[in-house]
Every structure is written in structure tokens, then in C-alpha cells.
Amino acid sequence: MNFRALSALGLACAALLTGCATDHAAAAKGPSRPTRPSTPSPAAPTAAATTAARPLFHRAPELDPDEILAGRLGPTTGSASFAYTEGRKGDTLILAVRCQGRGEVEVAVRPVHVAFPLSCPADRADTVYHQVRITGTAPSGTASVQAPATVRWSMTIGRTRD
């Protein structure tokens, strides 16, 4: 089975077992709301002009104040991996990925066996949040993103205590 099929299967299983949300705060507090794209400042050139020359974001996604940072990788192009710290049994793992640039990235988080594709727009920076409920112990792990050099991305992993 190829990585794309495994990614789709992993995401479907995670969604079925734990549920996903496009906005992690909304998932915990009520109906979901659409993701908010990052936008350039009013003085910046138009989005079409900034895409190739200037990135539309400069930091990894932020967590809510009551969430615990487990790992973060700032703006990156191409493929990369980074580690995240362990948590406690019953934690909810928060995966926040921001990307910009024409292309698709593949996100994989181990050892929780979560994987999903993400299409990145060329003209804006989008942030997507997923929540994964951990039923057993919450070990440390590695997040990997496979991305073409045309895509700029960043990722934050956090935990909530239930």
C-alpha cells in the first residue's frame, strides 16, 4: 500500500475514532467555524505579487492559552521532521499546520498513526487544526511533512488535558 493510501486510511480511522475539527477551539466549545487564512498587512502588495517574493506568514500556528506546547517547527520549505514531547494518558493531541504555495503536503505523526494530505493555496496561507484523542499513554513522537520546495509550511503540536 502506498503512502497516500495509508495517509487517507489513517486520517479516516482517526476521524472515525476521535473526530477532527478545522478549528480546535471551536471543536471543544461549539459548532465548527471555517479556518482563517493569514493575510498580509494592508501596506503589503497584493497576494498574487507576494506569493513568489514574500511569504504571508512568519511563525508557526499558536495554541490557545490553556493548551500545552509539545513541539513546533517554524516556517520551512521542502520536507522535514521534528520531535514532540510525551504527555499524559487521555490527552488530546492538537496538530496545527499552516502552509502557503502551490502544492500538496503529506503530514504523518508517529507513533499515534495519524496521517493526512493537505492542499496548500498559492495566494494565501491557510491553517488547519486536527484533534486526536489519545486513549492510552501519550508517548513522545515525530511529526514528518513531505512537501515540495514550492510550499512553505510550519507546524505546532500541542496537548489538552481532559
Side-chain angles (χ1 to χ4, degrees):
M1 192 176 277
N2 66 29
F3 182 76
R4 181 166 293 225
L6 284 173
S7 297
L9 180 60
L11 180 59
C13 290
L16 181 62
L17 294 174
T18 63
C20 289
T22 55
D23 186 312
H24 63 284
K29 298 174 183 137
S32 65
R33 55 184 189 236
T35 58
R36 297 173 306 272
S38 300
T39 55
S41 67
T46 65
T50 63
T51 301
R54 293 186 194 146
L56 297 177
F57 68 95
H58 301 285
R59 295 184 320 194
E62 295 294 325
L63 297 172
D64 288 342
D66 60 336
E67 297 167 341
I68 300 160
L69 179 65
R72 178 176 280 149
L73 185 63
T76 304
T77 56
S79 300
S81 296
F82 67 100
Y84 64 92
T85 60
E86 67 183 24
R88 296 188 311 197
K89 182 177 180 176
D91 281 355
T92 297
L93 199 61
I94 301 161
L95 311 173
V97 183
R98 180 174 291 152
C99 67
Q100 172 200 350
R102 186 171 310 279
E104 188 169 283
V105 301
E106 297 283 339
V107 179
V109 182
R110 304 287 181 251
V112 294
H113 305 292
V114 173
F116 55 93
L118 181 61
S119 293
C120 302
D123 61 344
R124 67 183 187 280
D126 277 351
T127 303
V128 175
Y129 293 88
H130 288 284
Q131 291 185 344
V132 180
R133 179 106 165 122
I134 308 297
T135 56
T137 58
S140 59
T142 302
S144 300
V145 176
Q146 292 183 355
T150 57
V151 173
R152 179 179 166 91
W153 62 273
S154 61
M155 184 171 179
T156 300
I157 298 179
R159 296 184 185 278
T160 62
R161 301 278 160 84
D162 294 332

